[in-house]
Every structure is written in structure tokens, then in C-alpha cells.
Amino acid sequence: MLLLHRAVVLRLQQACRLKSIPSRICIQACSTNDSFQPQRPSLTFSGDNSSTQGWRVMGTLLGLGAVLAYQDHRCRAAQESTHIYTKEEVSSHTSPETGIWVTLGSEVFDVTEFVDLHPGGPSKLMLAAGGPLEPFWALYAVHNQSHVRELLAQYKIGELNPEDKVAPTVETSDPYADDPVRHPALKVNSQRPFNAEPPPELLTENYITPNPIFFTRNHLPVPNLDPDTYRLHVVGAPGGQSLSLSLDDLHNFPRYEITVTLQCAGNRRSEMTQVKEVKGLEWRTGAISTARWAGARLCDVLAQAGHQLCETEAHVCFEGLDSDPTGTAYGASIPLARAMDPEAEVLLAYEMNGQPLPRDHGFPVRVVVPGVVGARHVKWLGRVSVQPEESYSHWQRRD
């Protein structure tokens, strides 16, 4: 009896692992076949308890039969409940009215209820509506994490037709193909976008961090900008004049130098995770570096565009020239009071440790805001404006 029980349990475990294959296979897996013929136990017993023991054996066999029947029912139900969709059906679901469907591999998901909750904003997720997620996850590699896949699994509604299981076509022009070459000593936390930190033994060798091993925090592909055609657009104040500044124009402003340490808000997150899981890149101790920056003071540039301190709330909003497929640029802001304060020494920097900014660090111009988290030091700066509220950028308000 124990031999039969162990054999049947083994078959049940195998059947559970094969629950996604057709029900006829499940039935075969859940039952004994010709290759497994255990010796049948006799129901003839001797002694006063023979009748009781016989009924116990019969009850056990009936129970096992019920388990086998239930497992077969589950196998059939799983097979019948898996909806199969064609790519054409998926492509017709691209709006809240029809439902918003996406695919990942061979799986189909209805993400209609999640669109407004998407951390990157609804517009990003809508790019994949009716089609595969892979091309966009290739751009935003942060999605390839277990908690993201677990969240997505809640919205699964079926599978793609096997005839439609063709690998999604990613654009032939890889948005990261033109990223710069990086120093091999950097410890990489993500390749796309590139995020890396120096090992502590190199970071602590010098107070000023050498440019090649300065920690890198990118949110999008690195733009390759021509310094000769580069222009920084500064929106003028009411009654003032907007500016379109070339790199030479910025060099004509008084030049200031300041030593500033930058740190990512996620520095040492890997240690936080040891106490309680938190989302984001698993930075160790190296998302912090120090450099000698040189450039024009932001307050001087804003003054030339007619801006001055005001009694009402105001913020200086920065937009980078790095952007996603929708054209949305990385952005952030700081209070106007800090930007206009000469003592705050906010720079529009074009040099780093006596050299032009490296591409990974904002060439040709970036913002440097001493004493403020690194996310506000916008790189590849393309536009500056003064607004009554902080930047509406996803990275300012939601990230």
C-alpha cells in the first residue's frame, strides 16, 4: 500500500509540473501506465481485524481515486481556461474603450487598469498598446526585474496563437549603440541605460575622482551632440528677452570654478535592501564622486534673460537633450531663490576636472547644484525656464 501511495504521489507531482500541456497528456501523467505496474496488495487478511483493515485499504484506494479524478479535472480546466489570441486580435486593443492589451513573449496581458498607474506615465505604456513590450523594455531595461514581472503577471489574460509566436522586431537602430566606451573598472548596475559606480578601493584613492571612474547615472541613451551647433535655450522673463546661447556664448560669461561632490539618491540602496526590500538600482557605496567643475553661474545667465527674485513661488526648470521615443526629455527643477543666489554657486558647467565634460557626464553643458541630490544636476542641458511650479517631469515628481 505504501509503495502504491508513493508511486501515485510521484505521478501527481509530475502532473502538476505538466499542467500547461494538453489534458490528454495530463491524464496519462496522472494515471498508472503500462511501464508502471506495482504489485497489487491483497485484500485478504487474517485475524480478527481483517474486515476493518480491508475497509481501510478500500477507503484509501477510493481516496486516491478521488485525488486522481480531481487532478484530471484541474488539468482539463486549465487547458480549457487558457484563451488563445492572434496578434491581429491583440493589435485591435489600443484604447480604454477596446481595452489596452500588450504581449511579452507568448503571453497576452490586459493592462487597461494599470495604464494610469504606470510609474513612467500613461504615455510610455501606451507606446506598446496592441503590440509587444520587448522593444520598449530594451530601452528601459529596469523593467527586467522580478517584481515588475510579478506585477505584470496579475494582468495576464491568455497566450498568443503558436503560429504568431514570432520574436518582436526591435528597431534596427539600437538607441544605445552610440553610447560612449566606459572604463572597465566601473561596477555596472545596468547597461541600458548605463549606470555604474567605481569600486571603493579606487574611489578612495583620490579626493578628486578621475573622470573615467566618476559614477555614472543615466536615465536614457547618451546623446551625441555637436558642440558647434549646440544651443542652450533660456526662456526670458515677461518683458525680458529669451536667449539662444552657443557654447562660445557661455564661455563669454564670467568663469567660475567650484569643487562639488555629487551623490545619487540611491547610494547604498543594496544595504537598505538587506533590511527591507526597496525598488531601484542596487547601488553599493560608489554612487558618489567629487570633481572640480567650471562654467558660467546660472544666476548670471538668468539675469541676462531678465529674471530676478520674486515674492511668489517660482522654480527654475531644466530639460536635457536626452529623450525617449515619445520625445520626452529628462527634466528636473530647483527653487528660483537658490538659482539666483550667488552664494549657492549653481553652475552651467562645461568643464570637469580641467577638461570638457565627458559625454556620460553631460557634454557639452550640464547643471551643477552644490548641496543638492544628483538627480537635479541635469546633463546635456537644452532648455531653462522659470515656472510657478516645480518641473512636471516624471523624474522630478514621481520617480
Side-chain angles (χ1 to χ4, degrees):
M1 189 64 226
L2 288 175
L3 176 64
L4 178 61
H5 177 263
R6 291 175 61 188
V8 172
V9 168
L10 176 62
R11 292 290 176 180
L12 283 174
Q13 292 172 337
Q14 293 172 340
C16 291
R17 289 195 293 268
L18 298 171
K19 65 180 180 180
S20 61
I21 63 178
S23 58
R24 60 186 177 83
I25 299 179
C26 291
I27 296 172
Q28 185 177 1
C30 293
S31 62
T32 55
N33 56 31
D34 293 338
S35 64
F36 174 67
Q37 295 291 342
Q39 183 177 356
R40 291 175 176 80
S42 171
L43 297 182
T44 304
F45 300 89
S46 60
D48 296 338
N49 295 328
S50 62
S51 175
T52 301
Q53 292 174 342
W55 281 112
R56 286 176 179 172
V57 171
M58 286 296 294
T60 301
L61 290 174
L62 288 172
L64 289 171
V67 170
L68 289 170
Y70 174 67
Q71 178 62 24
D72 177 55
H73 168 74
R74 288 186 62 189
C75 290
R76 290 178 180 273
Q79 177 66 17
E80 293 171 359
S81 63
T82 301
H83 293 281
I84 305 298
Y85 300 100
T86 65
K87 282 188 175 180
E88 184 177 359
E89 287 178 288
V90 174
S91 66
S92 66
H93 291 78
T94 58
S95 68
E97 292 72 29
T98 61
I100 300 165
W101 293 9
V102 295
T103 66
L104 184 66
S106 62
E107 298 176 302
V108 181
F109 306 88
D110 182 350
V111 295
T112 309
E113 296 180 356
F114 179 70
V115 170
D116 288 335
L117 304 176
H118 185 242
S123 63
K124 304 297 187 302
L125 186 52
M126 288 301 294
L127 290 171
L133 288 169
E134 283 89 341
F136 304 98
W137 281 26
L139 182 62
Y140 299 102
V142 69
H143 290 91
N144 289 309
Q145 299 186 48
S146 58
H147 73 270
V148 177
R149 291 184 175 271
E150 290 170 6
L151 176 63
L152 182 63
Q154 300 174 27
Y155 297 91
K156 181 176 177 179
I157 58 173
E159 299 273 340
L160 273 177
N161 188 315
E163 297 179 1
D164 285 344
K165 291 180 184 177
V166 180
T169 302
V170 181
E171 293 182 12
T172 54
S173 57
D174 180 355
Y176 293 95
D178 195 33
D179 269 18
V181 176
R182 279 88 181 204
H183 195 284
L186 290 172
K187 303 296 183 182
V188 179
N189 290 321
S190 77
Q191 284 284 358
R192 301 178 173 218
F194 187 78
N195 291 281
E197 60 189 287
E201 57 270 24
L202 293 184
L203 179 63
T204 55
E205 278 189 352
N206 299 285
Y207 175 61
I208 300 295
T209 311
N211 290 357
I213 63 168
F214 199 99
F215 89 93
T216 300
R217 176 64 173 110
N218 294 337
H219 297 84
L220 297 162
V222 176
N224 195 356
L225 304 174
D226 183 351
D228 294 330
T229 60
Y230 169 80
R231 295 294 182 271
L232 172 61
H233 299 283
V234 182
V235 179
Q241 181 179 1
S242 294
L243 308 177
S244 180
L245 303 174
S246 67
L247 197 53
D248 287 339
D249 292 331
L250 282 172
H251 278 271
N252 288 331
F253 283 87
R255 185 178 187 274
Y256 287 83
E257 287 190 6
I258 182 171
T259 300
V260 179
T261 298
L262 271 64
Q263 179 175 227
C264 178
N267 196 30
R268 302 180 71 173
R269 185 179 285 128
S270 60
E271 297 175 31
M272 302 178 201
T273 301
Q274 295 175 13
V275 178
K276 179 181 179 181
E277 184 177 356
V278 290
K279 296 179 181 179
L281 294 172
E282 290 289 300
W283 294 102
R284 293 174 285 274
T285 60
I288 183 170
S289 300
T290 302
R292 184 76 176 171
W293 309 90
R297 290 191 308 191
L298 177 59
C299 61
D300 294 337
V301 175
L302 289 175
Q304 185 164 318
H307 292 287
Q308 55 186 354
L309 283 176
C310 54
E311 295 182 358
T312 58
E313 180 180 1
H315 299 261
V316 180
C317 299
F318 308 113
E319 290 182 16
L321 292 171
D322 50 335
S323 61
D324 64 18
T326 67
T328 302
Y330 180 84
S333 62
I334 62 172
L336 177 63
R338 177 181 288 271
M340 294 298 295
D341 182 3
E343 295 297 321
E345 298 182 295
V346 180
L347 292 186
L348 301 181
Y350 44 72
E351 285 185 10
M352 178 179 178
N353 292 331
Q355 300 175 353
L357 295 175
R359 281 185 59 204
D360 258 333
H361 299 291
F363 179 83
V365 177
R366 72 173 298 165
V367 183
V368 174
V369 192
V372 174
V373 68
R376 305 296 179 254
H377 299 231
V378 176
K379 299 188 282 187
W380 312 290
L381 187 63
R383 188 174 188 271
V384 178
S385 63
V386 177
Q387 305 292 339
E389 296 186 34
E390 64 179 305
S391 170
Y392 279 94
S393 167
H394 157 73
W395 290 281
Q396 175 80 19
R397 297 203 175 207
R398 302 185 67 182
D399 186 33

